[in-house]
Amino acid sequence: MTTNSRSAAPLLELEHVAKAFGSHVAVEDFNLAVAPGEFISFLGPSGCGKTTTLQMIAGFLAPSRGTIRLEGCDLTQVHPSKRGLGIVFQSYALFPHMTAAENVAFGLEMQRVSKAERAERVRAALAMVGLSGYEDRHPRRMSGGQQQRVALARALVIRPSVLLLDEPLSNLDAKLREEMQIELRQIQRELGTTTILVTHDQTEALSLSDRIVVMSKGRIEQIGTPQDTYERPSSAFVAQFLGKTNDFTARIEGAGPARIVAGGWSAPAPVGLSGPVTISVRPERIGFAETGLPGRVAARIFQGNHWLFQCETECGPAIVVRPNDGLAQPGEGEAVRLAWRPEDMSLRAGAAA
């Protein structure tokens, strides 16, 4: 298993990378250092620049400016086929006239690997993705999940310095996608292959990544571990895009010491903040308490292992998620008070939008 230490020298570096198509700026001032063995996800909505960035790393697009280095070497003038990268596309891009084994062997043939070594590496790669016995099967006779495994084996068999994944699970149904997420992470950890995943699926990024690069409109909004990015979003965009969140309008009152006040809820205020602020709290971090922000349950929904409550408060609407622990839950129309720990919230200056 890889250590994923970012104290090591970066394997891949992007410095001030930008890409423009005419007057449209697709990627602007992208900076990232990727450690050996790290699993990075580029996460964001369609059109945010994540795929464009991946294509610049792969060499399919040339940066308008900036530098991309792999193991200290500038990739700008290196042909895509010479970069030593493995790529899995959203469409898998398997050759329909080739068997699974022939598809996996294709990159090794381009590398002029001997026939005997090629056969052994293909066998091992297919076994690694759970496709032993499928060597002679053509893609048209394979399920979507099996085709995805062949594409992954084809990318890994060449022993790439970096594995690039362009939304490879998006064509799978929800159950199979979850299974493949687990398998992909296990394979990546076992091999220690540095991996960059492009995805718009927040759950996928949270479950697979060592770090997440959240992008919006061609720019990086935040880089951090899944836990840090989820629990301490640096902007309103990150808070809203990476799962559900509640934004409450609050204010800073008093001085020496000042307090954050939201209705009947309050807590010590950080130094340097004043005036109106916005409190962001994840739904599962809010509880019902005897004291706190007054509200009323507008609706409640039973979702099996938890309850979801929609509440109205003077500081804004709220979604509360509470576990189904067998205890009595407040009913619709019931008055409640909402409370949360200061460490479970993030703050930003200005009123909630």
Side-chain angles (χ1 to χ4, degrees):
M1 183 183 297
T2 182
T3 60
N4 293 322
S5 172
R6 281 173 290 285
S7 62
L11 177 72
L12 178 70
E13 297 173 276
L14 291 85
E15 291 186 353
H16 305 295
V17 171
K19 181 63 180 178
F21 299 95
S23 61
H24 172 65
V25 178
V27 177
E28 184 174 358
D29 199 33
F30 190 102
N31 294 278
L32 179 68
V34 182
E38 200 173 8
F39 196 121
I40 297 283
S41 288
F42 295 168
L43 174 68
S46 297
C48 72
K50 57 187 185 295
T51 295
T52 299
T53 304
L54 193 81
Q55 290 178 338
M56 288 190 286
I57 297 171
F60 302 142
L61 291 174
S64 300
R65 65 176 181 274
T67 304
I68 301 175
R69 289 192 295 270
L70 180 64
E71 297 183 289
C73 298
D74 189 349
L75 292 181
T76 306
Q77 302 301 322
V78 180
H79 191 272
S81 64
K82 303 296 184 182
R83 296 191 179 196
L85 307 176
I87 305 172
V88 179
F89 299 98
Q90 182 177 355
S91 63
Y92 313 142
L94 300 178
F95 299 112
H97 62 286
M98 293 184 179
T99 64
E102 290 168 343
N103 267 283
V104 175
F106 181 78
L108 298 177
E109 292 178 11
M110 297 299 100
Q111 293 179 341
R112 301 185 184 279
V113 174
S114 69
K115 186 175 181 180
E117 182 182 349
R118 192 163 69 232
E120 174 56 27
R121 285 169 65 174
V122 168
R123 182 202 63 76
L126 287 172
M128 176 181 58
V129 297
L131 287 180
S132 295
Y134 287 78
E135 290 82 358
D136 297 327
R137 189 165 297 189
H138 285 80
R140 65 179 179 274
R141 296 181 54 226
M142 306 179 83
S143 68
Q146 290 167 344
Q147 291 181 43
Q148 196 272 348
R149 287 180 170 89
V150 173
L152 181 59
R154 183 177 62 182
L156 290 172
V157 76
I158 63 171
R159 298 170 182 169
S161 53
V162 181
L163 176 65
L164 305 178
L165 305 173
D166 187 8
E167 303 207 47
L169 309 182
S170 62
N171 293 329
L172 306 179
D173 62 55
K175 183 176 183 295
L176 184 55
R177 184 164 60 246
E178 186 174 296
E179 293 173 356
M180 285 306 305
Q181 287 171 5
I182 295 171
E183 290 187 23
L184 177 59
R185 188 54 165 146
Q186 288 175 338
I187 291 170
Q188 192 271 339
R189 285 184 179 276
E190 179 181 344
L191 297 179
T193 304
T194 306
T195 302
I196 297 177
L197 168 72
V198 162
T199 182
H200 63 272
D201 187 312
Q202 298 92 334
T203 301
E204 191 166 279
L206 289 168
S207 61
L208 290 173
S209 311
D210 294 312
R211 285 190 295 160
I212 298 173
V213 180
V214 185
M215 299 181 65
S216 173
K217 298 179 180 178
R219 299 186 66 90
I220 294 175
E221 288 276 343
Q222 185 171 351
I223 301 175
T225 66
Q227 185 173 355
D228 284 346
T229 309
Y230 181 82
E231 295 185 352
R232 286 171 285 279
S234 62
S235 69
F237 173 83
V238 176
Q240 295 292 341
F241 187 78
L242 204 63
K244 295 183 177 67
T245 194
N246 296 296
D247 283 346
F248 297 124
T249 299
R251 62 190 183 279
I252 306 297
E253 293 186 351
R259 295 186 69 80
I260 311 166
V261 178
W265 181 93
S266 70
V271 176
L273 278 179
S274 61
V277 294
T278 297
I279 297 172
S280 289
V281 194
R282 297 294 184 185
E284 66 275 13
R285 299 296 189 183
I286 298 178
F288 298 120
E290 293 185 2
T291 61
L293 174 62
R296 184 185 66 83
V297 177
R300 71 173 191 173
I301 303 170
F302 179 64
Q303 297 188 322
N305 64 345
H306 67 269
W307 286 88
L308 186 148
F309 298 86
Q310 294 178 333
C311 300
E312 297 173 349
T313 82
E314 63 185 85
C315 297
I319 297 175
V320 179
V321 172
R322 305 308 303 158
N324 179 21
D325 51 14
L327 301 178
Q329 303 288 349
E332 293 184 1
E334 188 171 333
V336 292
R337 287 186 177 268
L338 309 182
W340 55 91
R341 301 183 304 173
E343 59 265 36
D344 288 335
M345 69 182 185
S346 61
L347 282 175
R348 61 182 184 273

